[in-house]
């Protein structure tokens, strides 16, 4: 499945759908305000992309590009085309676009007491099927702890910290810690 990439802007007919997807696909505590995402998107190393197949909107990604890795802050598939392979197609498109460069992202940690535990397990399995490894690092940001996954088994904590600092204008307050699996 070949996807077309477009930069997210108000000029896109699907702009309201994109904003609604951003607001509905992630828990409130995991969302950065849209105005801040737009501000960060002015940086040359930040990409806010919409994906299309045959002009049909299918999803979004919000990325930070670094010499050593691509950090995926957000990735979501539109509800109207969910469970049709678009998440995997977006990841494949990213791998091709960045020539196999290490792609890193965070997902909710597997907490058996979480109300969405089953969803968390499915999400981890989805990323593993798509070539991601558990780095055995967690990141705590704004009180929430996430697992850090990567397409490379040689994950660089220093590169990850650099990406986060680049995104937050050098004021990254998150904590990255190694854990025992």
């Amino acid at each position: 499945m070949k996807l077309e990439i477009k930069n997210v802007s108000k000029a896109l007919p699907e702009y309201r759908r994109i904003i609604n997807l951003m607001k509905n696909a992630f828990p409130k505590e995991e969302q950065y305000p849209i105005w801040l995402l737009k501000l960060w998107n002015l940086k040359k190393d930040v990409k806010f992309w919409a994906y299309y197949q045959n002009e049909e909107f299918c999803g979004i990604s919000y990325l930070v590009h670094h010499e050593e890795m691509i950090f995926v802050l957000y990735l979501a598939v539109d509800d109207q085309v969910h469970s049709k392979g678009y998440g995997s197609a977006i990841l494949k498109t990213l791998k091709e676009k960045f020539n196999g460069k290490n792609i890193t992202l965070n997902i909710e940690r597997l907490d058996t007491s979480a109300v969405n535990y089953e969803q968390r397990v499915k999400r981890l399995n989805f990323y593993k099927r798509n070539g991601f490894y558990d780095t055995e690092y967690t990141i705590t940001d704004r009180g929430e702890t996430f697992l850090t996954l990567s397409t490379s088994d040689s994950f660089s904590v220093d590169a990850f910290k650099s990406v986060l600092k680049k995104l937050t204008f050098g004021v990254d307050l998150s904590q990255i810690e190694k854990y025992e699996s």
Side-chain angles (χ1 to χ4, degrees):
M1 172 180 324
K2 184 82 172 142
L3 300 180
E4 178 186 0
I5 299 172
K6 296 181 183 179
N7 290 315
V8 171
S9 74
K10 286 185 176 183
L12 290 177
E14 300 80 20
Y15 182 74
R16 288 294 342 139
R17 271 177 69 192
I18 291 167
I19 298 306
N20 286 335
L21 177 59
M22 291 291 299
K23 289 180 179 177
N24 297 320
F26 306 98
K28 287 243 184 272
E29 59 274 5
E30 294 177 24
Q31 296 177 25
Y32 286 101
I34 294 297
W35 67 265
L36 184 57
L37 295 174
K38 289 179 184 178
L39 177 65
W40 286 342
N41 194 40
L42 296 175
K43 298 169 71 76
K44 70 178 176 110
D45 295 333
V46 175
K47 307 289 183 213
F48 190 8
W49 286 340
Y51 297 85
Y52 297 80
Q53 183 183 37
N54 302 324
E55 297 300 317
E56 180 181 16
F57 170 66
C58 55
I60 56 94
S61 68
Y62 194 96
L63 316 166
V64 183
H65 186 270
H66 181 270
E67 303 83 47
E68 295 180 46
M69 75 173 54
I70 305 301
F71 175 60
V72 180
L73 181 61
Y74 293 113
L75 185 143
V77 173
D78 188 65
D79 287 340
Q80 294 179 17
V81 294
H82 210 258
S83 298
K84 294 185 178 179
Y86 288 111
S88 294
I90 290 170
L91 291 171
K92 181 180 180 208
T93 300
L94 290 175
K95 289 174 185 177
E96 291 170 356
K97 182 90 174 157
F98 293 108
N99 298 319
K101 187 180 274 196
N102 174 13
I103 299 173
T104 300
L105 52 81
N106 299 318
I107 63 169
E108 294 171 306
R109 65 188 164 94
L110 300 184
D111 177 357
T112 54
S113 66
V115 293
N116 67 342
Y117 176 73
E118 302 289 324
Q119 181 185 48
R120 293 177 185 206
V121 170
K122 285 180 183 178
R123 187 175 295 122
L124 176 61
N125 290 333
F126 164 78
Y127 283 113
K128 284 184 173 182
R129 279 193 314 275
N130 282 281
F132 283 79
Y133 304 92
D134 184 346
T135 65
E136 297 183 356
Y137 280 91
T138 59
I139 180 169
T140 302
D141 180 37
R142 297 177 292 154
E144 299 293 322
T145 301
F146 303 91
L147 295 177
T148 300
L149 306 179
S150 177
T151 56
S152 171
D153 54 5
S154 58
F155 174 73
S156 167
V157 175
D158 290 335
F160 189 45
K161 286 180 180 179
S162 292
V163 167
L164 296 174
K165 284 184 179 178
K166 182 182 282 195
L167 181 64
T168 60
F169 303 103
V171 193
D172 177 47
L173 301 175
S174 55
Q175 297 174 314
I176 301 169
E177 297 177 323
K178 181 101 170 142
Y179 72 91
E180 298 295 322
S181 56

